Amino acid sequence: MSRSRIILFSALILGWLLPKALPAGDCGESYRCQEALVKFSRRLGPADIERLLESHGASVLRRFPLTRLHLISFPATRETREWIAAFRQEPGVLVAETNDYVSAQALPDDPSFNLLWGLNNTGQTGGLAGADIAVEQVWDSFQDGSGVVVAVIDTGVDHLHPDLAANMWVNAGEIPANGIDDDGNGFIDDIHGYDFVNNDGDPMDDHQHGTHVAGILGAVGNNGVGVAGVAWSAKIMALKFLDESAGGSASGGVLAIEYALANGAKILNNSWGSSSFNKALESAILEADSQGALVFAAAGNQGRDIDSSPFYPAGHDLPNIVSVASIDDADELSSFSNFGLRNVDFGAPGGEVFSTKPANAYGYISGTSMASPHAAGAAALLWTQFPGLSHRQIRNLILQGVAPRSYLAGKTVMGGLLDVGNSLAIALDPSNQIPEANAGADQSLELGQIVSLNGSANDGDGDFPLSFDWELSVPPGSRSRLDSFFSQSPTFVPDMEGEYIATLVVSDSASDSIPDTVTVTVAGGSLPLPEVLIRAHFRGTNGLRQDLGAGSPAPIGTVVSLDGSESSSLFPDPLLFEWELVAKPDGSTALLSSTDKSGSSLNPDQPGTYTVRLRVEDGYNENFAELSFTALEPSGPADPDPPDPAGPASAGGGGCGLQAQR
């Protein structure tokens, strides 16, 4: 399933969404000032990274070992985005992103309803009977969801609540309240999880959101107290990264995800989000996939189509994400709920949901935040009973069990409502047919061509969706890799002659296919050189941009900007750049501002011809291009007016401004 992009909210959720107070400066309401999340190439050792940081006056606030990310602090001498733009130009920097704010996805309380219609809707709240997740029939067989640890990544959880205490995950390697990291995991007294806001071992909820989410997922059932969660005996790990106003940062989300994975969580509930794409969060969720963990995400509460106006993490294009919209008790899509035919999987109860609140309380909250834990609890319930299934198969089992709803058709991938009873029936169906993988026909080609694999599958019982998993075996010495391991039709670029063998396994909700292979034989041809493209311009006395072509004049005393970022290669690795000023007039002392980044500049100080050369290396070959221009003494009338925007001369540079949406 393809997915899209979105924005980060820094909102206080205590009723209506209210703006969160943020630091002053250039940051607006989207990200933390003077901070960035950075990922370095493996080619850079610790000493290289330290030198690079020192050259920018930057320091490391925190390292993330699983994803190799670093949270970096910059001095306040430049705006945050200027620092990040400069850092992205450094060789060996793979990712440099703002440390975005995120917020919980919940709407106002409404105390007019008092029953758990989402688990068993008889019309008791004035809604439509049957508009629920059909879990009651599953409870007839089992209620235990303790076979997997579920991380509630949120505002924390009131782990003393009488309806939650018995179901809290316990870190068996830690001795409570002794101030010692007994299990050596880097966190002190982390008995039930961790608080990344206050950096301590007590993830107590000082808002209400996380406790409410935890109760929906796994409040203790059949104990004569309060409510029951979807999984009566869940194992809930509390990870607090959203503060008392339900706001947090991308770095906090990464920390929580890494803790969850390192301490055994296999289901991660994320009832929060942002409209800003963040590569660091995506990397952490991809690491969760590699460790066999499912990630459930609230689709968001902006009432919009996130295919065209994205929201994350629900919109990340990853095979372990389950994105959930909200329905109400009348069996309709909630008015506030986001949707998306490509990016939202199905609906679950989210309108006026009754659940646990801090300080032994109970109450109502609405939002896609409430829909997501219904699905996460269902996953815990089913996975405990079918522990032999992979995380991809549990995801398929939940998706394939979705009950069709006309109002969700065309607005969600599966076109329906979470139905745990249907999922159980599929899991128990003895007639399930193993899917048959087809990796496609063998191919023969020459070096310099992109290989497109064409995977498909036959499944006699028509299961949808299916999971595709590829592996690529390459000749000795080759560094080629697939652009995606989980898409149906990935690509790769062969970098040497020989045989490349791609293996495909297709999974439904109960079984894996027999592996099928395709052999790609590469002989002859040659690796293409990278394409080198130089753009140059200067600003005239009227401040307007003037593009330079070969032999074009530029006034002495202006700054000529050089840009090689449009250079390209067949291979996906970052390009290496080397600039050189190979010719300049006699007497000139002009120098290039940088020699190893995609951009550079120089200040012509004598009349005559200047020639710059750019070499580009892609890890296999290098190529170069040159650009010459003439510098003249300033003379004559002022720069001409800009061309008519409607005319053909206006087709050059320019851009558009983007801003966060409130």
Side-chain angles (χ1 to χ4, degrees):
M1 148 176 66
S2 65
R3 299 182 178 271
S4 31
R5 275 189 75 192
I6 55 169
I7 221 173
L8 263 113
F9 268 67
S10 50
L12 173 69
I13 316 287
L14 285 174
W16 297 108
L17 293 174
L18 301 176
K20 172 180 169 63
L22 300 175
D26 63 303
C27 312
E29 296 187 355
S30 294
Y31 53 90
R32 292 187 185 275
C33 294
Q34 310 309 136
E35 291 184 7
L37 285 159
V38 179
K39 186 173 185 178
F40 298 99
S41 168
R42 293 184 187 274
R43 294 179 293 179
L44 298 185
D48 299 319
I49 293 174
E50 187 64 30
R51 283 193 294 271
L52 193 156
L53 293 174
E54 287 180 356
S55 71
H56 286 269
S59 59
V60 177
L61 297 177
R62 187 180 286 271
R63 292 176 174 84
F64 303 85
L66 289 179
T67 53
R68 303 196 341 269
L69 289 162
H70 295 67
L71 179 61
I72 302 299
S73 174
F74 293 111
T77 54
R78 300 164 75 178
E79 290 188 349
T80 304
R81 290 198 183 276
E82 291 180 355
W83 274 120
I84 290 175
F87 221 74
R88 285 174 176 167
Q89 299 298 317
E90 293 286 358
V93 173
L94 303 181
V95 174
E97 301 249 306
T98 50
N99 186 14
D100 297 320
Y101 285 106
V102 297
S103 71
Q105 289 299 294
L107 290 179
D109 287 1
D110 187 337
S112 60
F113 299 101
N114 59 6
L115 295 172
L116 306 180
W117 66 267
L119 304 184
N120 183 27
N121 192 343
T122 62
Q124 72 271 45
T125 57
L128 182 65
D132 56 48
I133 67 171
V135 71
E136 190 179 40
Q137 58 190 286
V138 177
W139 288 341
D140 291 339
S141 301
F142 52 82
Q143 308 86 32
D144 183 18
S146 64
V148 292
V149 178
V150 183
V152 175
I153 301 174
D154 214 286
T155 62
V157 175
D158 181 357
H159 46 83
L160 302 177
H161 195 291
D163 233 357
L164 294 172
N167 283 354
M168 296 305 300
W169 170 77
V170 176
N171 183 356
E174 198 74 12
I175 299 172
N178 68 351
I180 299 172
D181 179 14
D182 301 288
D183 59 358
N185 70 350
F187 301 93
I188 296 172
D189 293 337
D190 53 322
I191 303 300
H192 300 302
Y194 201 76
D195 180 349
F196 294 100
V197 176
N198 300 299
N199 198 30
D200 61 48
D202 184 11
M204 180 59 72
D205 186 2
D206 52 6
H207 182 263
Q208 62 177 356
H209 189 268
T211 300
H212 198 271
V213 165
I216 295 168
L217 190 156
V220 179
N222 202 30
N223 65 343
V225 176
V227 297
V230 176
W232 290 4
S233 304
K235 195 176 292 183
I236 300 169
M237 177 188 290
L239 297 177
K240 177 181 175 64
F241 90 105
L242 301 177
D243 61 23
E244 71 280 356
S245 64
S249 67
S251 60
V254 173
L255 278 171
I257 291 171
E258 289 206 343
Y259 181 99
L261 298 177
N263 290 277
K266 289 298 183 183
I267 297 173
L268 284 60
N269 187 82
N270 302 273
S271 290
W272 46 271
S274 153
S275 298
S276 296
F277 174 83
N278 190 282
K279 187 68 176 177
L281 275 174
E282 184 187 56
S283 297
I285 296 170
L286 186 59
E287 179 63 27
D289 181 61
S290 72
Q291 297 196 32
L294 280 175
V295 175
F296 289 83
N301 298 335
Q302 292 72 44
R304 71 192 190 207
D305 185 346
I306 68 171
D307 289 352
S308 56
S309 184
F311 188 83
Y312 297 101
H316 284 301
D317 183 17
L318 299 174
N320 61 329
I321 285 274
V322 180
S323 171
V324 190
S326 171
I327 72 154
D328 60 28
D329 65 345
D331 211 358
E332 297 177 350
L333 181 67
S334 299
S335 60
F336 56 78
S337 180
N338 289 345
F339 54 90
L341 180 58
R342 292 180 293 124
N343 293 298
V344 179
D345 291 305
F346 52 78
E352 306 295 355
V353 176
F354 189 69
S355 182
T356 49
K357 287 191 172 184
N360 303 343
Y362 298 85
Y364 301 85
I365 305 180
S366 294
T368 56
S369 280
M370 287 58 252
S372 180
H374 278 90
L381 203 60
L382 293 166
W383 211 346
T384 297
Q385 307 309 314
F386 304 99
L389 298 183
S390 70
H391 71 299
R392 302 274 183 86
Q393 288 173 321
I394 290 294
R395 177 179 180 273
N396 288 346
L397 186 60
I398 290 173
L399 295 181
Q400 290 167 15
V402 165
R405 291 291 191 272
S406 59
Y407 63 87
L408 291 172
K411 289 196 171 183
T412 62
V413 174
M414 302 308 299
L417 172 64
L418 173 67
D419 191 310
V420 194
N422 278 350
S423 294
L424 176 61
I426 292 170
L428 297 175
D429 184 2
S431 65
N432 177 72
Q433 298 184 33
I434 297 175
E436 179 183 345
N438 182 358
D442 291 345
Q443 302 182 44
S444 296
L445 45 79
E446 296 183 342
L447 287 171
Q449 295 179 271
I450 297 177
V451 176
S452 296
L453 300 175
N454 299 301
S456 61
N458 296 317
D459 192 75
D461 44 9
D463 290 335
F464 171 79
L466 300 172
S467 294
F468 291 77
D469 287 279
W470 290 89
E471 290 186 4
L472 181 65
S473 174
V474 300
S478 171
R479 291 179 285 153
S480 295
R481 64 180 186 274
L482 295 171
D483 66 340
S484 172
F485 296 100
F486 52 82
S487 70
Q488 185 170 343
S489 301
T491 66
F492 71 95
V493 181
D495 59 2
M496 60 189 303
E497 293 186 325
E499 283 191 346
Y500 297 76
I501 300 175
T503 302
L504 172 64
V505 173
V506 178
S507 304
D508 63 10
S509 58
S511 53
D512 296 336
S513 70
I514 297 172
D516 189 43
T517 62
V518 56
T519 300
V520 179
T521 304
V522 178
S526 59
L527 295 180
L529 299 177
E531 182 179 353
V532 185
L533 182 62
I534 304 174
R535 303 279 190 192
H537 72 272
F538 65 92
R539 296 286 177 182
T541 56
N542 56 7
L544 297 177
R545 171 179 172 141
Q546 304 290 318
D547 291 326
L548 283 173
S552 298
I556 291 173
T558 58
V559 176
V560 174
S561 298
L562 305 167
D563 181 10
S565 62
E566 294 183 42
S567 301
S568 61
S569 168
L570 196 64
F571 297 95
D573 294 322
L575 299 174
L576 299 177
F577 298 89
E578 181 181 355
W579 291 93
E580 183 181 2
L581 182 57
V582 296
K584 59 184 178 181
D586 292 340
S588 172
T589 60
L591 296 173
L592 292 169
S593 63
S594 62
T595 59
D596 59 356
K597 302 174 184 177
S598 63
S600 188
S601 65
L602 76 154
N603 189 338
D605 57 357
Q606 296 291 330
T609 300
Y610 295 77
T611 301
V612 293
R613 177 182 297 155
L614 173 60
R615 293 185 182 276
V616 174
E617 180 187 344
D618 62 9
Y620 297 93
N621 290 313
E622 70 171 37
N623 196 8
F624 74 90
E626 294 182 350
L627 182 141
S628 297
F629 66 90
T630 302
L632 302 175
E633 295 283 359
S635 61
D639 295 324
D641 291 332
D644 180 357
S650 66
C656 61
L658 301 178
Q659 63 182 26
Q661 300 297 300
R662 288 279 304 279

